Amino acid sequence: MNNMYDEYGCCSSCGYSWCEELSECIRVWETECTGHRRLTTMADFTMEELMLFVIGVLGALGGFMVILQKSKCESICWGCCKRNVEAVIQEEKLKMTGHTGDTPRIPEPENT
């Protein structure tokens, strides 16, 4: 079996878990299983589960910060990002041509 399935053959990444009373794989939000542990308060979670949650949240925040940096955001509010369009254009010019085009060019001598 691969990592998606538990020891009973339930697809845990699909939301299924084993119900001993029914002897089948169920989704707890679809089918009632009295043997399942109810997670309704913080006291219902183990320290390992809480730490995994915290690590997941911190990982998501880290990923969000990388996206903000890569998107050249000047400022952010909930649900929107004010992008520094000039910085994005400069970066694309640099990738495509090797320079940004902002370097002053030496004027060609005039023919007199």
Side-chain angles (χ1 to χ4, degrees):
M1 289 191 189
N2 86 37
N3 299 356
M4 292 178 18
Y5 297 93
D6 66 13
E7 64 270 14
Y8 297 102
C10 300
C11 180
S12 53
S13 64
C14 305
Y16 287 97
S17 59
W18 182 254
C19 177
E20 196 66 41
E21 288 79 25
L22 301 174
S23 297
E24 65 178 298
C25 298
I26 64 160
R27 288 180 169 157
V28 293
W29 61 90
E30 295 175 342
T31 307
E32 179 72 27
C33 182
T34 57
H36 274 77
R37 176 172 81 121
R38 296 253 181 240
L39 303 173
T40 55
T41 65
M42 289 295 287
D44 295 334
F45 292 90
T46 65
M47 185 57 72
E48 290 81 17
E49 290 167 333
L50 290 173
M51 291 306 294
L52 283 173
F53 174 75
V54 169
I55 290 168
V57 168
L58 291 176
L61 286 173
F64 181 67
M65 296 307 291
V66 168
I67 290 169
L68 284 179
Q69 192 277 329
K70 293 284 185 186
S71 66
K72 306 288 186 231
C73 287
E74 288 182 332
S75 64
I76 185 116
C77 62
W78 195 251
C80 67
C81 174
K82 181 181 173 192
R83 296 187 73 194
N84 183 343
V85 177
E86 285 301 315
V88 174
I89 291 171
Q90 295 286 335
E91 187 175 305
E92 290 301 314
K93 281 182 184 177
L94 187 61
K95 282 182 194 174
M96 293 171 63
T97 64
H99 61 84
T100 61
D102 290 341
T103 309
R105 299 201 183 267
I106 300 172
E108 292 184 28
E110 294 181 19
N111 291 339
T112 53

